Every structure is written in C-alpha cells, then in structure tokens.
Amino acid sequence: MARCMQAYLPRLDVDLLLYDAHMFLVAHPPSKYRGREFRPLRLLKTILNELVKLKGEGIRRHLTLVPVDTKPTLCSYLDLVLQQQAAKATNTARPVTSSGSPQQESLTTVFEKISSKDKEVAKEGFRLLFKYQQSHTDFSLDQYLQGRSPQFQEHVRKNLAKVNAQEEAKNRAAAADPAPIPLQDF
C-alpha cells in the first residue's frame, strides 16, 4: 500500500485512515515494543511516513477524527516526521560536513540512542542532541518533547544540562591552558 499510495490517494479517506492509526497506537503503544520488532507498528510508520511525504503540512487538516487536544502518539509521530522532512530539506540545501556530524544524524536516530539501555550509547545520543541544538538554532526541544512523558522530558533536559556543563568545562580548561606557541626558525 505504501509504495502505491500516490495512486490510491485520491480515493483514500485520509481522515479515517489517521483515526484508525490513532486507535491502533492507543491499543499498541510504541513504548511497549521499544527495542523489539513489531511488524504491524513498523508497517504503520511506513504508511504514515508516505502520507506525510505526499501531504506535507496538509496532513494536519486530516486529523478531524483524532482527539488532538490530548496530544496523542499519532500527533507526536506526525510532528516528528514533519520535522525530519524539514531538516532533510534544509540539509540537502547545505553542504555536507564531516561524517558523523549532527546534521547527518536524524533526530530519530539520536532519540533512539538516548532511549538506549546502554549508558554509553545514551551518552553519545545526548552529545549528538547537544551538537544538533548548537547547529540548528531554530530547533525547539520543547516542541519536540511535547506529548512525551514528564519523566522522559526531565531525563532529556537533565542530561543535556550535564553535556552543556561538560562542554563549558572543556572550553574553560582550553582557555585557561593555552597551547604553547611553537618556536620559529630565524
């Protein structure tokens, strides 16, 4: 369905499809399957990605049957995909920097790392998110975290503050201990 969605789109009731997606996500919250393969959820995300690719920001007009005032998982996911597409469009306009730079790491990958049970992987995710914030001044972490649990929001903010403190300490140490000036040949 996802591959041929453009052909089906004129006959597709997008409002009803989004409502069904919402009901599926209520019955099967993604957090329940974190770290495990759950093909129906993967298929739903593929369909939603394709819908957002075809509709763009206009996808929001099709949320008429979804209770958006409660900020459901579906809305958070659609916001995420829209942000990723906007970032991808911005990144294609910019020259590519060194490999592994925050511009090349999608926010999804960064947040997957942050959610990892492996502490080193999670630390790397927070460092990447910090770098992403530094290089994308238009990025709103608060908007991105909307709809997430208060515990997760606090976890992200606390660890970003730690990374910020570490970076400031590195900068202070570098400023206090300037590199020796090499001797010049006369």
Side-chain angles (χ1 to χ4, degrees):
M1 179 179 174
R3 286 187 214 134
C4 305
M5 190 168 296
Q6 189 167 12
Y8 290 117
L9 198 58
R11 297 176 296 195
L12 195 62
D13 185 352
V14 178
D15 295 49
L16 188 58
L17 179 64
L18 290 177
Y19 175 73
D20 288 341
H22 164 69
M23 294 308 292
F24 179 86
L25 291 170
V26 168
H28 304 281
S31 59
K32 183 177 174 184
Y33 301 99
R34 185 164 284 141
R36 295 186 301 177
E37 179 67 19
F38 184 57
R39 285 185 176 265
L41 181 61
R42 191 169 141 199
L43 176 62
L44 177 65
K45 287 182 174 184
T46 302
I47 291 169
L48 292 173
N49 282 336
E50 192 64 26
L51 261 178
V52 170
K53 189 188 310 179
L54 295 171
K55 291 283 189 179
E57 285 287 334
I59 194 76
R60 295 178 198 275
R61 290 190 301 265
H62 294 282
L63 292 169
T64 58
L65 302 174
V66 178
V68 293
D69 55 323
T70 61
K71 209 56 172 143
T73 304
L74 176 67
C75 291
S76 297
Y77 185 74
L78 292 176
D79 289 342
L80 170 66
V81 174
L82 286 166
Q83 284 180 353
Q84 287 173 340
Q85 285 188 351
K88 191 182 291 184
T90 304
N91 286 339
T92 56
R94 286 187 206 153
V96 177
T97 58
S98 66
S99 64
S101 69
Q103 289 86 1
Q104 294 175 352
E105 291 282 343
S106 71
L107 285 173
T108 302
T109 305
V110 170
F111 275 89
E112 283 174 2
K113 288 182 178 187
I114 287 172
S115 300
S116 174
K117 297 205 184 299
D118 182 344
K119 288 184 179 184
E120 290 306 310
V121 172
K123 283 181 184 178
E124 177 64 18
F126 286 114
R127 284 191 291 270
L128 288 171
L129 182 58
F130 178 79
K131 288 178 183 177
Y132 187 90
Q133 280 186 301
Q134 298 298 313
S135 63
H136 294 82
T137 55
D138 59 334
F139 173 70
S140 169
L141 182 64
D142 291 332
Q143 182 181 4
Y144 191 82
L145 290 175
Q146 268 184 340
R148 309 286 173 120
S149 73
Q151 295 85 1
F152 183 74
Q153 290 180 24
E154 181 181 337
H155 174 68
V156 169
R157 287 191 179 96
K158 181 179 74 171
N159 282 288
L160 273 178
K162 284 182 185 177
V163 171
N164 188 28
Q166 291 169 350
E167 290 295 319
E168 286 177 356
K170 280 184 200 176
N171 292 341
R172 280 193 305 269
D177 186 27
I181 300 171
L183 296 175
Q184 297 178 356
D185 292 331
F186 292 99

